[in-house]
């Protein structure tokens, strides 16, 4: 964009005047223009920018009203102390408080996760803005606060009191916070751990221009000294503050009973992420000011208000190490090993970091204290390091150049890929183990007696060199393993079960055999489509890319992947060895029918799928639900029976957790489809690979 040559000189003149005027105003020196002239010039500047928006890029006084230069944060003594709040943490404690503090009306509000600030207006003009500090004395952040959108420099209305202290929370809107963190990382700086820290860091900038560039907001939730303002209730004070042009919350509610206050707590517990800012609870206040005065305060907090804190969704823990895992298709994934910590209901010690770029993007170093949360309240995720807690003992993660399992040099699949892969698919122990383990999953051959430990054992004992020999295993073989062999020379009960499972598995339909081969991109949906169109492994192998891609639910990427897979000798050997051991490589007519017409296993059930699943497209998952008599809903409610959570699931997963709905992973989902609710009840373990490197 080019800057308009005609308009620029006037713009510069106005802008400099306005910036100097606000510097003088907030810097405490003599005003250089009157307030009226200031407003007049500001309007002219704004009109100029409406016609030439590119001028705003230069750093305009219209986006930033005041640029007071602060070299240090001077102490400010609040006229009235800024109190804190007492907390309750569950319904019982809340009930006790409600019983102890009966009231005709309670004012219910969100507890904004931000930074407390006191604004002092003298004769309607913003004179000082200060942080809470210790409650008596805070820091002067006037210049910075004056740059926040929505905070009036001058109050509106006629009945503005001579002195007015307004308390509220400065916060970072959630979306803006995410964008700021990304921008900081791109600029090589550290991201903030949460919006609260971002708000605090932005307010304590020495140069208000930096604060001005941050899209902070404020919501006011209290009043201190208010000379000349008659008030009878807290809610009425909010109406007055709103009439002065101050930003009040749209989520507050006056209720007439303790039960209704409880409902407010419950409702916002279920809608925790709906507001434009983070909340860490709700605040319940006695609305009537006479009652407030009678109840009084302790040295710390008022007796007429209580904060109900929701359980934290973010915790701190120590990042002990960053290791790399190798998945069944060779993808090499860094993952975090942490001090085990309880977060959103379960203990977490590992979290995937996806790839080396992600480690850099998050700015984490080994040894850091990190902020951990559950993405969508399900998948553990490291948010950011707590930089303030560093002591120089931390070290950078260096991505492996060679496979940690087999030592082969890692490579990108194609130029520009973020993922690195171990190309040694044939004999990399990790890949072999993961492939063997996942072919036994319920969505593939369903070999219950073959778990992660069994897969490792069969490979390490040399009984298998890859998956080709699996169905040829005999009792004598297992008697030579570590975990399937009994002391008496035969096999254990689990060994016998493995042989039984293998004998049953060879009868599995073709689509499951396809899934079991770990061909990239070939999940259950594509496998079913291929099996039903081509009917046999030979026909699939013989088909051209065009024919394959032409199959409903398959497409070019899968077709290409299949073609390339069949071009590798040892892949073909697996198929041939399995066929020789009796694995069915074609579907019979009866089989086809029963596979093609799923039972109505989901009759009357509503299922929501959120995030991406490996084996289903969005429509494929819906179709799978609907074809079994279920309803595939788009949003989560109390009426939802199951929520299937895939990768990068968002707010729906959060809501599901909050409503206490059954949450299924992809393996559970497959069982649900196949067996109906019986397949997912009883708290069985999921069937998918459990390591953080699982793909
Ligand atoms: S009222 C005298 N209302 O939470 C009562 N505080 O943990 C003072 N906060 O220091 C507080 N949202 O900074 C009140 N709706 C709300 C609030 C709120 C956030 C902050 C406030 C307070 C802290 C206590």
């Amino acid at each position: 964009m080019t800057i308009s040559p005609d308009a620029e000189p006037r713009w510069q003149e106005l802008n400099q005047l306005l910036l100097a005027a606000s510097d003088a105003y907030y810097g405490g020196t003599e005003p250089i223009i009157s307030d009226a002239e200031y407003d007049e010039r500001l309007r002219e500047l704004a009109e100029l920018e409406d016609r030439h928006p590119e001028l705003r890029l230069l750093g305009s006084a219209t986006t930033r009203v005041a640029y007071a230069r602060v070299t240090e944060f001077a102490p400010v003594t609040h006229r009235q102390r800024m109190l804190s709040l007492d907390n309750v943490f569950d319904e019982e404690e809340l009930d006790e408080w409600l019983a102890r503090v009966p009231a005709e009306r309670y004012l219910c509000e969100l507890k904004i996760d931000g930074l407390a600030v006191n604004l002092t207006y003298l004769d309607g003009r913003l004179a000082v803005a200060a942080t809470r500090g210790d409650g008596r004395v805070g820091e002067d952040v006037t210049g910075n606060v004056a740059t926040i959108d929505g905070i009036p420099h001058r109050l509106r209305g006629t009945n503005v009191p001579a002195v007015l202290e307004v308390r509220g929370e400065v916060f970072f809107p959630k979306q803006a916070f995410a964008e700021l963190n990304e921008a900081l990382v791109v600029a090589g700086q550290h991201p903030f751990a949460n919006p609260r820290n971002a708000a605090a860091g932005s307010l304590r900038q020495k140069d208000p221009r930096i604060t001005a560039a941050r899209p902070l907001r404020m919501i006011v939730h209290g009043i201190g000294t208010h000379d000349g303002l008659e008030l009878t209730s807290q809610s009425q004070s909010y109406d007055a503050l709103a009439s002065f042009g101050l930003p009040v919350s749209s989520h507050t509610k006056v209720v007439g009973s303790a039960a209704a206050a409880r409902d407010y707590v419950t409702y916002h517990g279920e809608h925790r992420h709906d507001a434009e800012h983070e909340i860490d609870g709700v605040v319940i206040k006695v609305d009537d000011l006479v009652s407030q005065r009678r109840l009084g305060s302790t040295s710390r907090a008022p007796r007429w208000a209580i904060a109900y804190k929701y359980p934290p969704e973010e915790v701190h823990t120590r990042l002990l190490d960053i290791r790399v895992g190798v998945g069944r298709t060779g993808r090499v994934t860094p993952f975090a090993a942490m001090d085990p910590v309880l977060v959103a209901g379960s203990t977490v010690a590992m979290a995937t970091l996806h790839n080396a770029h992600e480690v850099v993007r998050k700015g984490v170093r080994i040894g850091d204290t990190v902020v951990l949360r559950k993405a969508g309240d399900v998948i553990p995720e490291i948010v950011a390091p707590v930089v303030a807690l560093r002591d120089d003992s931390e070290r950078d993660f260096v991505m492996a150049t060679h496979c940690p399992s087999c030592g082969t040099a890692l490579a990108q699949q194609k130029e520009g890929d973020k993922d690195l892969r171990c190309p040694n698919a044939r004999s990399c122990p990790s890949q072999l183990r993961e492939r063997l383990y996942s072919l036994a999953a319920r969505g593939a051959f369903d070999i219950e007696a073959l778990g992660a430990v069994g897969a490792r054992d069969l490979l390490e004992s040399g009984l298998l060199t890859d998956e080709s020999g699996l169905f040829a295993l005999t009792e004598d073989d297992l008697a030579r393993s570590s975990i399937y062999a009994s002391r008496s020379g035969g096999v254990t009960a689990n060994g016998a079960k493995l042989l039984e499972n293998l004998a049953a598995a060879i009868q599995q339909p073709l689509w499951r055999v396809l899934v079991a081969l770990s061909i990239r991109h070939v999940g259950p949906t594509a496998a079913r489509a291929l099996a039903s169109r081509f009917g046999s492994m030979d026909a699939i192998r013989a088909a051209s890319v065009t024919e394959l891609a032409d199959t409903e639910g398959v497409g070019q990427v899968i077709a290409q992947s299949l073609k390339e897979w069949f071009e590798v000798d040892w892949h073909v050997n697996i198929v041939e060895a399995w066929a020789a051991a009796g694995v069915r490589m074609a579907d019979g007519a009866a089989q086809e029918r029963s596979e093609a017409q799923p039972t109505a296993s989901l009759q009357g059930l509503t299922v929501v799928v959120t995030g991406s699943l490996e084996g289903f497209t969005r429509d494929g998952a819906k179709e799978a639900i609907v074809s079994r008599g279920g309803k595939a809903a788009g949003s989560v409610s109390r009426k939802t029976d199951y929520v299937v959570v895939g990768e990068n699931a968002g707010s729906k997963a959060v809501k599901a957790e909050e409503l206490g709905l059954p949450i299924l992973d992809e393996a559970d989902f497959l069982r649900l489809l196949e067996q109906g609710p019986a397949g997912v009840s009883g708290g069985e373990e999921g069937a998918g690979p459990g390591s953080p490197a699982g793909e």
Side-chain angles (χ1 to χ4, degrees):
M1 198 186 291
T2 51
I3 305 282
S4 157
D6 303 340
E8 204 207 346
R10 178 63 183 154
W11 183 90
Q12 288 288 6
E13 192 182 328
L14 285 168
N15 202 43
Q16 273 164 23
L17 175 72
L18 289 162
L19 290 177
S22 76
D23 272 1
Y25 181 82
Y26 289 103
T29 57
E30 283 292 297
I32 55 173
I33 50 175
S34 70
D35 290 347
E37 190 184 354
Y38 183 90
D39 287 348
E40 176 64 25
R41 297 280 176 255
L42 189 64
R43 205 167 311 125
E44 188 184 343
L45 187 73
E47 280 165 12
L48 197 59
E49 288 174 358
D50 283 345
R51 277 177 275 129
H52 305 280
E54 74 279 9
L55 291 168
R56 243 177 243 136
L57 296 174
L58 301 175
S60 167
T62 56
T63 50
R64 284 326 355 107
V65 183
Y67 284 142
R69 272 173 204 295
V70 182
T71 49
E72 60 183 23
F73 299 101
V76 175
T77 306
H78 308 303
R79 281 159 210 254
Q80 258 185 31
R81 272 194 65 194
M82 286 179 79
L83 294 173
S84 186
L85 286 168
D86 284 333
N87 300 310
V88 292
F89 295 95
D90 58 35
E91 279 153 37
E92 211 179 314
E93 289 178 4
L94 174 66
D95 284 349
E96 280 168 20
W97 185 84
L98 289 166
R100 207 166 53 239
V101 187
E104 260 178 42
R105 280 174 295 123
Y106 295 103
L107 178 62
C108 306
E109 309 178 359
L110 298 184
K111 189 167 186 309
I112 303 148
D113 196 8
L115 193 77
V117 164
N118 183 46
L119 309 175
T120 306
Y121 285 90
L122 299 178
D123 293 324
R125 252 166 54 152
L126 178 61
V128 185
T131 60
R132 178 171 171 277
D134 65 2
R136 286 179 198 284
V137 182
E139 284 181 322
D140 187 338
V141 286
T142 312
N144 290 341
V145 167
T147 69
I148 297 175
D149 250 8
I151 299 183
H153 291 202
R154 227 151 320 156
L155 298 180
R156 286 202 309 251
T158 47
N159 59 339
V160 169
V163 182
L164 177 68
E165 282 185 308
V166 191
R167 278 81 197 264
E169 240 32 45
V170 169
F171 65 90
F172 230 98
K174 281 187 292 202
Q175 180 59 33
F177 169 68
E179 287 162 13
L180 169 69
N181 262 2
E182 274 177 23
L184 285 174
V185 172
V186 170
Q189 295 173 37
H190 291 296
F192 286 107
N194 55 46
R196 192 182 176 283
N197 287 4
S202 303
L203 259 198
R204 297 194 81 265
Q205 290 290 336
K206 298 283 179 190
D207 183 352
R209 278 162 222 256
I210 298 177
T211 313
R214 307 259 167 95
L216 294 169
R217 291 285 179 280
M218 184 174 187
I219 286 179
V220 300
H221 53 59
I223 208 160
T225 300
H226 53 279
D227 271 8
L229 193 62
E230 293 293 322
L231 296 168
T232 58
S233 72
Q234 180 99 12
S235 51
Q236 185 204 11
S237 77
Y238 292 173
D239 294 341
L241 295 177
S243 78
F244 298 151
L246 286 156
V248 296
S249 173
S250 57
H251 304 284
T252 51
K253 188 173 179 187
V254 181
V255 299
S257 69
R262 256 180 244 121
D263 287 347
Y264 184 90
V265 170
T266 311
Y267 178 86
H268 286 285
E270 289 169 3
H271 294 82
R272 233 173 128 161
H273 302 280
D274 288 4
E276 62 281 19
H277 49 73
E278 293 287 354
I279 68 169
D280 58 345
V282 303
V283 184
I284 299 176
K285 299 171 180 172
V286 171
D287 195 31
D288 176 52
L289 293 183
V290 174
S291 306
Q292 283 193 5
R293 233 164 282 138
R294 206 178 46 236
L295 285 159
S297 305
T298 66
S299 59
R300 201 189 91 86
R303 291 195 191 87
W304 46 263
I306 196 77
Y308 184 104
K309 292 288 230 20
Y310 295 125
E313 292 175 313
E314 287 191 347
V315 295
H316 284 185
T317 187
R318 178 81 129 198
L319 176 58
L320 303 172
D321 198 5
I322 299 177
R323 302 185 189 135
V324 291
V326 187
R328 81 190 157 102
T329 59
R331 194 171 74 183
V332 176
T333 316
F335 66 92
M338 297 164 292
D339 258 345
V341 64
L342 188 69
V343 52
S346 68
T347 301
V348 170
M350 309 239 230
T352 181
L353 287 160
H354 303 290
N355 55 52
H357 295 267
E358 193 68 1
V359 179
V360 174
R361 198 184 71 78
K362 291 192 191 275
V364 288
R365 308 184 72 202
I366 297 164
D368 267 335
T369 299
V370 292
V371 179
L372 180 75
R373 72 161 171 226
K374 287 211 190 142
D377 271 7
V378 183
I379 302 146
E381 177 193 37
I382 288 185
V383 181
V386 184
V387 177
L389 293 180
R390 283 188 176 158
D391 62 7
D392 276 349
S393 66
E394 302 77 18
R395 60 194 163 86
D396 280 330
F397 164 68
V398 182
M399 182 60 181
T401 53
H402 290 74
C403 175
S405 181
C406 67
T408 306
L410 302 178
Q412 293 167 320
Q413 177 93 359
K414 56 181 188 314
E415 184 88 8
D417 262 0
K418 283 195 173 156
D419 291 331
L420 284 179
R421 289 180 186 270
C422 166
N424 179 20
R426 172 151 209 193
S427 54
C428 169
S430 280
Q431 290 187 59
L432 279 173
R433 202 173 52 238
E434 292 294 329
R435 281 210 307 273
L436 198 52
Y437 173 49
S438 60
L439 72 74
R442 290 187 183 88
F445 275 124
D446 193 10
I447 305 170
E448 210 186 325
L450 179 58
V453 179
R456 179 188 288 268
D457 182 40
L458 292 175
L459 291 162
E460 288 182 356
S461 62
L463 289 171
L464 294 181
T465 47
D466 62 27
E467 58 268 58
S468 64
L470 180 66
F471 294 96
L473 285 175
T474 62
E475 192 168 337
D476 284 349
D477 290 335
L478 294 188
R480 288 188 284 118
S481 78
S482 311
I483 70 151
Y484 296 107
S486 75
R487 294 231 176 99
S488 56
V491 296
T492 59
N494 203 36
K497 192 168 169 198
L498 176 57
L499 291 168
E500 259 172 52
N501 288 165
L502 289 171
I506 61 174
Q507 294 302 325
Q508 292 282 23
L510 179 60
W511 72 267
R512 286 171 170 273
V513 183
L514 278 167
V515 170
L517 288 170
S518 280
I519 303 170
R520 270 189 92 195
H521 306 300
V522 181
T525 306
R528 278 176 193 273
L530 290 162
S532 99
R533 159 122 190 239
F534 294 98
S536 74
M537 192 67 83
D538 284 344
I540 294 170
R541 191 179 162 191
S544 68
V545 171
T546 319
E547 282 168 325
L548 292 167
D550 207 25
T551 310
E552 179 77 26
V554 175
Q556 194 64 34
V557 174
I558 296 177
Q560 197 62 43
S561 175
L562 273 162
K563 204 74 207 157
E564 285 166 15
W565 193 88
F566 277 111
E567 277 161 12
V568 177
D569 287 351
W570 65 270
H571 289 165
V572 177
N573 285 346
I574 296 172
V575 175
E576 285 170 356
W578 285 1
V583 174
R584 288 176 47 142
M585 291 292 166
D587 281 340
Q591 182 105 36
E592 236 173 86
R593 254 198 317 281
S594 76
E595 285 293 318
Q597 288 176 0
T599 55
S601 54
L602 301 185
Q603 196 66 50
L605 298 175
T606 301
V607 184
V608 173
V609 178
T610 175
S612 52
L613 301 177
E614 194 181 305
F616 295 86
T617 59
R618 198 168 284 268
D619 288 343
K622 275 192 187 158
E623 192 210 298
I625 296 163
V626 174
S627 67
R628 285 164 179 78
K631 186 174 163 211
S635 64
V636 172
S637 77
R638 286 191 184 285
K639 291 191 183 134
T640 309
D641 293 293
Y642 296 99
V643 180
V644 180
V645 174
E647 253 191 69
N648 299 322
S651 62
K652 288 182 199 169
V654 177
K655 194 163 172 194
E657 178 110 339
E658 284 171 358
L659 290 177
L661 299 172
I663 293 177
L664 308 184
D665 64 13
E666 188 163 351
D668 296 330
F669 181 46
L670 286 170
R671 279 185 292 145
L672 179 72
L673 293 176
E674 276 158 33
Q675 301 163 33
V680 291
S681 61
E684 278 177 87
E685 269 187 27
S691 85
E695 290 169 67

